[in-house]
Amino acid sequence: MSDIPQSWKHKLKPMEGPRWPLRCRHVFAIEDVLRLQAGLWPRDMDDRWAIWLDGDVLRCWRSWTGACVYEAHLALHKDGSATAVMLDVLDEPETYARATSEEAELQRFEGVLSLIRQLHVEAEATVHLPVG
């Protein structure tokens, strides 16, 4: 098991500073909830985001600064899916230049979440060659 998550988890803090609350209503499929619980952890300088569902709190951090940009409390459903009703966006221009509209910021959030699905697709596409 990789120690990458542990090396990141101690560095990352909950959102600090002013927040811009947005109505989100994003529904997470069971597979996405499982991926979020495992987290997306930067492996090199090209990876810009760390994403992790800790209990019922989803946080997305900029990996270079460690700033928490998105924070949402999820309603976890019995079937394993979840819903984010509200999304807090960091509202601190020195740290994060947020979008000018709610719709545009929610699209940015969706883009960050797509990294979790993209990682899964890449893993499925990896060809494992026999050794020896």
Side-chain angles (χ1 to χ4, degrees):
M1 185 167 148
S2 174
D3 61 351
I4 291 174
Q6 281 310 117
S7 70
W8 276 97
K9 285 178 187 178
H10 79 279
K11 297 179 199 177
L12 302 172
K13 298 179 181 161
M15 187 178 289
E16 298 172 340
R19 297 165 182 249
W20 182 29
L22 303 178
R23 290 194 191 280
C24 184
R25 304 193 202 294
H26 183 88
V27 176
F28 297 90
I30 298 164
E31 302 80 29
D32 290 338
V33 171
L34 293 171
R35 288 184 203 112
L36 291 168
Q37 289 170 335
L40 175 71
W41 307 104
R43 295 163 296 189
D44 58 43
M45 289 300 291
D46 292 333
D47 293 334
R48 297 184 198 178
W49 292 93
I51 305 168
W52 183 39
L53 176 57
D54 181 13
D56 66 348
V57 180
L58 173 64
R59 293 190 179 98
C60 305
W61 298 269
R62 289 305 306 243
S63 63
W64 297 345
T65 64
C68 182
V69 174
Y70 297 113
E71 188 173 274
H73 289 269
L74 304 188
L76 302 172
H77 306 296
K78 289 181 182 180
D79 68 356
S81 65
T83 304
V85 177
M86 293 295 292
L87 172 69
D88 284 332
V89 179
L90 182 64
D91 194 10
E92 192 171 86
E94 304 81 35
T95 306
Y96 176 67
R98 68 176 174 86
T100 56
S101 72
E102 289 186 12
E103 182 179 318
E105 193 61 53
L106 289 171
Q107 287 176 348
R108 283 186 182 179
F109 178 61
E110 294 288 337
V112 171
L113 294 178
S114 74
L115 296 172
I116 286 282
R117 292 182 206 100
Q118 179 182 344
L119 183 67
H120 177 69
V121 169
E122 288 172 5
E124 285 184 342
T126 301
V127 176
H128 297 281
L129 299 175
V131 178

